[in-house]
Amino acid sequence: MWKAFEDLRAGAVETRISDLFGLNPNRAADFTVCSDGLWFDYSKTTIDGPARASLIAVAQEAGVAACRDAMFRGERINKTEDRAVLHTALRRRDDEPVLVEGVDVLTEVSDTRARMATFCRAVRDGSFPGHGMRITDVVNIGIGGSDLGPLMAVMALAPYHEGPRCHFISNVDGADLTDTLAPLDPETTLFIVASKTFTTQETMLNARSALQWAGGDKALQRFVAISTAVDKCQEFGIPEERVFGFGDWVGGRFSVWGPIGLSLMLAIGPAAFDGFLDGGQAMDRHFQTAPFEENMPVLLALVGLWNQQVCGYPTRAVLPYEQRLARLPAYLQQLEMESNGKRVAMNGETLPGVAGPIVWGEPGTNGQHAFYQLIHQGQQVVPCEFLVGAQGHEPALAEHHRALVANCLAQSEALLKGRSEAEARAQLAAQGVSGPELERLAKHKVFPGNRPSTTLVYPKLTPYVLGQIIALYEHRVFVEGVIYGINSFDQWGVELGKELAGGLVPAMAGMAPPEGTSASTRALLAHVLSFVH
């Protein structure tokens, strides 16, 4: 596929996006795809009809359809770990079986979801933990996929909260735990310890400290675990009936649909959580059935590949014009960079190019008063991905939402059009500026324009719509990974630093650093310890 990118680069024509609209009066419609209320506009990119056809041919040649079908069938497409990839099964709500080595995994998924729902109802109606106590707050202790997904979703769906307040602790920095727990009452706080192996260093240290804060072993009745290691949970003091597990065919960053989403279910209730799953499953069906020309995840992936591999833009900015999606950029940062930030192909050979973009962003309109200066007038081009809801949740503040949407559309328009020097001069002249002052300022007011962006419009941020959006981006990552020829479902790059940290923790207590530690790290360690001892 990398040769195909080279060919596309060689054949790419320097065309302004605005000229493409002139060449095709129907471009806005021709380069927009809709699915179940979602509206994805990629017309403000440099992709034209022939380029799109070439990109689709690349996806077809890479075997995206065959790999997609293999994933949904439960085949072991995670080759480096010899596992199936079935996070999609967590959101299945129909009776069609999903077999892994002849066993229908939906039976276990449905049973676990039913247990989660029963537990959530008990917490929400006050029957858990009993003894006249009622849970007012839930603290999820996890990191990575055990934190970013549920935290993002809980924030996104705040208008649907009718359960206990939800809080999240992830950083091993004691400040995170201290500041989160300070306003809470230990007697009315439920803790969820989310660690698949129940050995994650940061999570387990935070869990032990939280248990001590809550009152020690007597507080274990208010602890539940999300883990596959039932034995380790029991050693900690959490009985099996309060352990919710999931298969090894679910990666952490894809896991919000199952037990990792327990905090979300507690906040919005089992019925709304089912709506979230329904939205994800709807996008699954679209991904499985729509032709590539109308397939939203495929087209989103192809736009990303075009921007990075053909145009040479190394980053992409995710810009949700929805305050409650403030953590979506961070969530997608992990989803995309942990999945596709690879240097080795499935066959073990070093990739001939750079896979995976740098993903970053902030919600609008805040970002407009921060980094948009670089996006509009900087030397480097940053493709932007705007998201915005047609409706907000605050009818009494409709004026605010109108301003929000107007800002979103205006930013993508400004990136497209820019402002020429002639236009800048005319504007200054109309303001009464003339002579040397006009000459001095004109170039500073030029905007190059021709900067690519996409816009995803959704009706309103409901549980169903959030499910659609998350599944859309999951499948985008999958498609890009297939075309890159990499495994998007392992994350070996996370491991080395964790291994070395395990050796340096004793050194922080005064023991000798591990053999082979660099001179720089030894010097840094000694300097830090000079403040401790």
Side-chain angles (χ1 to χ4, degrees), residues 503-504 506-507 510-518 521-522 525:
L504 287 172
M511 297 178 64
E515 188 76 21
T517 300
S518 72
T521 300
R522 286 175 179 269
L525 181 65

mmCIF file with all atom_site columns, all heavy atoms in Angstrom, residues 503-504 506-507 510-518 521-522 525:
data_model
loop_
_atom_site.group_PDB
_atom_site.id
_atom_site.type_symbol
_atom_site.label_atom_id
_atom_site.label_alt_id
_atom_site.label_comp_id
_atom_site.label_asym_id
_atom_site.label_entity_id
_atom_site.label_seq_id
_atom_site.pdbx_PDB_ins_code
_atom_site.Cartn_x
_atom_site.Cartn_y
_atom_site.Cartn_z
_atom_site.occupancy
_atom_site.B_iso_or_equiv
_atom_site.pdbx_formal_charge
_atom_site.auth_seq_id
_atom_site.auth_comp_id
_atom_site.auth_asym_id
_atom_site.auth_atom_id
_atom_site.pdbx_PDB_model_num
ATOM 1   N N   . GLY A 1 503 ? 11.588 -1.163 38.240 1.00 0.00 ? 503 GLY A N   1
ATOM 2   C CA  . GLY A 1 503 ? 12.935 -1.286 38.800 1.00 0.00 ? 503 GLY A CA  1
ATOM 3   C C   . GLY A 1 503 ? 13.392 -0.043 39.524 1.00 0.00 ? 503 GLY A C   1
ATOM 4   O O   . GLY A 1 503 ? 14.224 -0.121 40.438 1.00 0.00 ? 503 GLY A O   1
ATOM 5   N N   . LEU A 1 504 ? 12.853 1.100  39.124 1.00 0.00 ? 504 LEU A N   1
ATOM 6   C CA  . LEU A 1 504 ? 13.291 2.354  39.744 1.00 0.00 ? 504 LEU A CA  1
ATOM 7   C C   . LEU A 1 504 ? 12.518 2.713  41.008 1.00 0.00 ? 504 LEU A C   1
ATOM 8   O O   . LEU A 1 504 ? 12.980 3.540  41.794 1.00 0.00 ? 504 LEU A O   1
ATOM 9   C CB  . LEU A 1 504 ? 13.176 3.496  38.731 1.00 0.00 ? 504 LEU A CB  1
ATOM 10  C CG  . LEU A 1 504 ? 14.231 3.493  37.615 1.00 0.00 ? 504 LEU A CG  1
ATOM 11  C CD1 . LEU A 1 504 ? 13.908 4.530  36.559 1.00 0.00 ? 504 LEU A CD1 1
ATOM 12  C CD2 . LEU A 1 504 ? 15.625 3.744  38.207 1.00 0.00 ? 504 LEU A CD2 1
ATOM 13  N N   . PRO A 1 506 ? 12.068 0.840  43.747 1.00 0.00 ? 506 PRO A N   1
ATOM 14  C CA  . PRO A 1 506 ? 12.911 0.558  44.915 1.00 0.00 ? 506 PRO A CA  1
ATOM 15  C C   . PRO A 1 506 ? 14.069 1.549  45.053 1.00 0.00 ? 506 PRO A C   1
ATOM 16  O O   . PRO A 1 506 ? 14.484 1.879  46.164 1.00 0.00 ? 506 PRO A O   1
ATOM 17  C CB  . PRO A 1 506 ? 13.420 -0.861 44.639 1.00 0.00 ? 506 PRO A CB  1
ATOM 18  C CG  . PRO A 1 506 ? 12.414 -1.460 43.709 1.00 0.00 ? 506 PRO A CG  1
ATOM 19  C CD  . PRO A 1 506 ? 11.965 -0.326 42.853 1.00 0.00 ? 506 PRO A CD  1
ATOM 20  N N   . ALA A 1 507 ? 14.584 2.021  43.922 1.00 0.00 ? 507 ALA A N   1
ATOM 21  C CA  . ALA A 1 507 ? 15.679 2.990  43.984 1.00 0.00 ? 507 ALA A CA  1
ATOM 22  C C   . ALA A 1 507 ? 15.216 4.285  44.647 1.00 0.00 ? 507 ALA A C   1
ATOM 23  O O   . ALA A 1 507 ? 16.004 4.973  45.315 1.00 0.00 ? 507 ALA A O   1
ATOM 24  C CB  . ALA A 1 507 ? 16.211 3.266  42.582 1.00 0.00 ? 507 ALA A CB  1
ATOM 25  N N   . GLY A 1 510 ? 15.787 4.236  48.220 1.00 0.00 ? 510 GLY A N   1
ATOM 26  C CA  . GLY A 1 510 ? 17.166 4.225  48.696 1.00 0.00 ? 510 GLY A CA  1
ATOM 27  C C   . GLY A 1 510 ? 17.996 3.065  48.224 1.00 0.00 ? 510 GLY A C   1
ATOM 28  O O   . GLY A 1 510 ? 19.206 3.039  48.473 1.00 0.00 ? 510 GLY A O   1
ATOM 29  N N   . MET A 1 511 ? 17.397 2.108  47.542 1.00 0.00 ? 511 MET A N   1
ATOM 30  C CA  . MET A 1 511 ? 18.166 0.977  47.032 1.00 0.00 ? 511 MET A CA  1
ATOM 31  C C   . MET A 1 511 ? 18.937 1.397  45.786 1.00 0.00 ? 511 MET A C   1
ATOM 32  O O   . MET A 1 511 ? 18.676 2.433  45.181 1.00 0.00 ? 511 MET A O   1
ATOM 33  C CB  . MET A 1 511 ? 17.237 -0.197 46.729 1.00 0.00 ? 511 MET A CB  1
ATOM 34  C CG  . MET A 1 511 ? 16.522 -0.741 47.954 1.00 0.00 ? 511 MET A CG  1
ATOM 35  S SD  . MET A 1 511 ? 15.395 -2.097 47.564 1.00 0.00 ? 511 MET A SD  1
ATOM 36  C CE  . MET A 1 511 ? 16.578 -3.335 46.961 1.00 0.00 ? 511 MET A CE  1
ATOM 37  N N   . ALA A 1 512 ? 19.895 0.578  45.389 1.00 0.00 ? 512 ALA A N   1
ATOM 38  C CA  . ALA A 1 512 ? 20.707 0.884  44.215 1.00 0.00 ? 512 ALA A CA  1
ATOM 39  C C   . ALA A 1 512 ? 19.855 0.796  42.957 1.00 0.00 ? 512 ALA A C   1
ATOM 40  O O   . ALA A 1 512 ? 18.985 -0.080 42.855 1.00 0.00 ? 512 ALA A O   1
ATOM 41  C CB  . ALA A 1 512 ? 21.880 -0.093 44.122 1.00 0.00 ? 512 ALA A CB  1
ATOM 42  N N   . PRO A 1 513 ? 20.077 1.679  41.980 1.00 0.00 ? 513 PRO A N   1
ATOM 43  C CA  . PRO A 1 513 ? 19.343 1.581  40.722 1.00 0.00 ? 513 PRO A CA  1
ATOM 44  C C   . PRO A 1 513 ? 19.671 0.272  40.007 1.00 0.00 ? 513 PRO A C   1
ATOM 45  O O   . PRO A 1 513 ? 20.741 -0.314 40.233 1.00 0.00 ? 513 PRO A O   1
ATOM 46  C CB  . PRO A 1 513 ? 19.841 2.785  39.925 1.00 0.00 ? 513 PRO A CB  1
ATOM 47  C CG  . PRO A 1 513 ? 20.486 3.692  40.911 1.00 0.00 ? 513 PRO A CG  1
ATOM 48  C CD  . PRO A 1 513 ? 21.006 2.810  42.005 1.00 0.00 ? 513 PRO A CD  1
ATOM 49  N N   . PRO A 1 514 ? 18.797 -0.190 39.155 1.00 0.00 ? 514 PRO A N   1
ATOM 50  C CA  . PRO A 1 514 ? 19.058 -1.437 38.427 1.00 0.00 ? 514 PRO A CA  1
ATOM 51  C C   . PRO A 1 514 ? 20.331 -1.329 37.590 1.00 0.00 ? 514 PRO A C   1
ATOM 52  O O   . PRO A 1 514 ? 20.709 -0.252 37.128 1.00 0.00 ? 514 PRO A O   1
ATOM 53  C CB  . PRO A 1 514 ? 17.826 -1.593 37.532 1.00 0.00 ? 514 PRO A CB  1
ATOM 54  C CG  . PRO A 1 514 ? 16.763 -0.794 38.186 1.00 0.00 ? 514 PRO A CG  1
ATOM 55  C CD  . PRO A 1 514 ? 17.470 0.358  38.843 1.00 0.00 ? 514 PRO A CD  1
ATOM 56  N N   . GLU A 1 515 ? 20.972 -2.455 37.385 1.00 0.00 ? 515 GLU A N   1
ATOM 57  C CA  . GLU A 1 515 ? 22.157 -2.533 36.544 1.00 0.00 ? 515 GLU A CA  1
ATOM 58  C C   . GLU A 1 515 ? 21.831 -2.017 35.149 1.00 0.00 ? 515 GLU A C   1
ATOM 59  O O   . GLU A 1 515 ? 20.798 -2.341 34.581 1.00 0.00 ? 515 GLU A O   1
ATOM 60  C CB  . GLU A 1 515 ? 22.631 -3.989 36.457 1.00 0.00 ? 515 GLU A CB  1
ATOM 61  C CG  . GLU A 1 515 ? 23.968 -4.176 35.766 1.00 0.00 ? 515 GLU A CG  1
ATOM 62  C CD  . GLU A 1 515 ? 25.148 -3.780 36.642 1.00 0.00 ? 515 GLU A CD  1
ATOM 63  O OE1 . GLU A 1 515 ? 24.978 -3.746 37.890 1.00 0.00 ? 515 GLU A OE1 1
ATOM 64  O OE2 . GLU A 1 515 ? 26.213 -3.504 36.082 1.00 0.00 ? 515 GLU A OE2 1
ATOM 65  N N   . GLY A 1 516 ? 22.717 -1.200 34.601 1.00 0.00 ? 516 GLY A N   1
ATOM 66  C CA  . GLY A 1 516 ? 22.513 -0.698 33.250 1.00 0.00 ? 516 GLY A CA  1
ATOM 67  C C   . GLY A 1 516 ? 21.779 0.622  33.172 1.00 0.00 ? 516 GLY A C   1
ATOM 68  O O   . GLY A 1 516 ? 21.592 1.168  32.078 1.00 0.00 ? 516 GLY A O   1
ATOM 69  N N   . THR A 1 517 ? 21.352 1.161  34.325 1.00 0.00 ? 517 THR A N   1
ATOM 70  C CA  . THR A 1 517 ? 20.676 2.463  34.309 1.00 0.00 ? 517 THR A CA  1
ATOM 71  C C   . THR A 1 517 ? 21.667 3.523  33.835 1.00 0.00 ? 517 THR A C   1
ATOM 72  O O   . THR A 1 517 ? 22.819 3.551  34.265 1.00 0.00 ? 517 THR A O   1
ATOM 73  C CB  . THR A 1 517 ? 20.167 2.817  35.717 1.00 0.00 ? 517 THR A CB  1
ATOM 74  O OG1 . THR A 1 517 ? 19.261 1.812  36.144 1.00 0.00 ? 517 THR A OG1 1
ATOM 75  C CG2 . THR A 1 517 ? 19.460 4.162  35.722 1.00 0.00 ? 517 THR A CG2 1
ATOM 76  N N   . SER A 1 518 ? 21.225 4.412  32.947 1.00 0.00 ? 518 SER A N   1
ATOM 77  C CA  . SER A 1 518 ? 22.126 5.400  32.347 1.00 0.00 ? 518 SER A CA  1
ATOM 78  C C   . SER A 1 518 ? 22.638 6.389  33.387 1.00 0.00 ? 518 SER A C   1
ATOM 79  O O   . SER A 1 518 ? 22.029 6.594  34.441 1.00 0.00 ? 518 SER A O   1
ATOM 80  C CB  . SER A 1 518 ? 21.400 6.157  31.232 1.00 0.00 ? 518 SER A CB  1
ATOM 81  O OG  . SER A 1 518 ? 20.436 7.032  31.787 1.00 0.00 ? 518 SER A OG  1
ATOM 82  N N   . THR A 1 521 ? 20.063 9.133  34.152 1.00 0.00 ? 521 THR A N   1
ATOM 83  C CA  . THR A 1 521 ? 18.990 8.748  35.069 1.00 0.00 ? 521 THR A CA  1
ATOM 84  C C   . THR A 1 521 ? 19.511 8.605  36.490 1.00 0.00 ? 521 THR A C   1
ATOM 85  O O   . THR A 1 521 ? 18.838 8.985  37.457 1.00 0.00 ? 521 THR A O   1
ATOM 86  C CB  . THR A 1 521 ? 18.328 7.448  34.589 1.00 0.00 ? 521 THR A CB  1
ATOM 87  O OG1 . THR A 1 521 ? 17.778 7.663  33.287 1.00 0.00 ? 521 THR A OG1 1
ATOM 88  C CG2 . THR A 1 521 ? 17.223 7.005  35.528 1.00 0.00 ? 521 THR A CG2 1
ATOM 89  N N   . ARG A 1 522 ? 20.721 8.073  36.656 1.00 0.00 ? 522 ARG A N   1
ATOM 90  C CA  . ARG A 1 522 ? 21.311 7.966  37.996 1.00 0.00 ? 522 ARG A CA  1
ATOM 91  C C   . ARG A 1 522 ? 21.490 9.356  38.622 1.00 0.00 ? 522 ARG A C   1
ATOM 92  O O   . ARG A 1 522 ? 21.215 9.563  39.799 1.00 0.00 ? 522 ARG A O   1
ATOM 93  C CB  . ARG A 1 522 ? 22.658 7.243  37.920 1.00 0.00 ? 522 ARG A CB  1
ATOM 94  C CG  . ARG A 1 522 ? 22.540 5.740  37.683 1.00 0.00 ? 522 ARG A CG  1
ATOM 95  C CD  . ARG A 1 522 ? 23.918 5.116  37.494 1.00 0.00 ? 522 ARG A CD  1
ATOM 96  N NE  . ARG A 1 522 ? 23.824 3.688  37.302 1.00 0.00 ? 522 ARG A NE  1
ATOM 97  C CZ  . ARG A 1 522 ? 23.865 2.782  38.277 1.00 0.00 ? 522 ARG A CZ  1
ATOM 98  N NH1 . ARG A 1 522 ? 24.003 3.195  39.539 1.00 0.00 ? 522 ARG A NH1 1
ATOM 99  N NH2 . ARG A 1 522 ? 23.766 1.498  38.027 1.00 0.00 ? 522 ARG A NH2 1
ATOM 100 N N   . LEU A 1 525 ? 18.104 10.748 39.579 1.00 0.00 ? 525 LEU A N   1
ATOM 101 C CA  . LEU A 1 525 ? 17.629 10.037 40.771 1.00 0.00 ? 525 LEU A CA  1
ATOM 102 C C   . LEU A 1 525 ? 18.313 10.582 42.031 1.00 0.00 ? 525 LEU A C   1
ATOM 103 O O   . LEU A 1 525 ? 17.660 10.854 43.045 1.00 0.00 ? 525 LEU A O   1
ATOM 104 C CB  . LEU A 1 525 ? 17.885 8.544  40.607 1.00 0.00 ? 525 LEU A CB  1
ATOM 105 C CG  . LEU A 1 525 ? 17.433 7.635  41.742 1.00 0.00 ? 525 LEU A CG  1
ATOM 106 C CD1 . LEU A 1 525 ? 15.915 7.660  41.884 1.00 0.00 ? 525 LEU A CD1 1
ATOM 107 C CD2 . LEU A 1 525 ? 17.908 6.201  41.480 1.00 0.00 ? 525 LEU A CD2 1
#
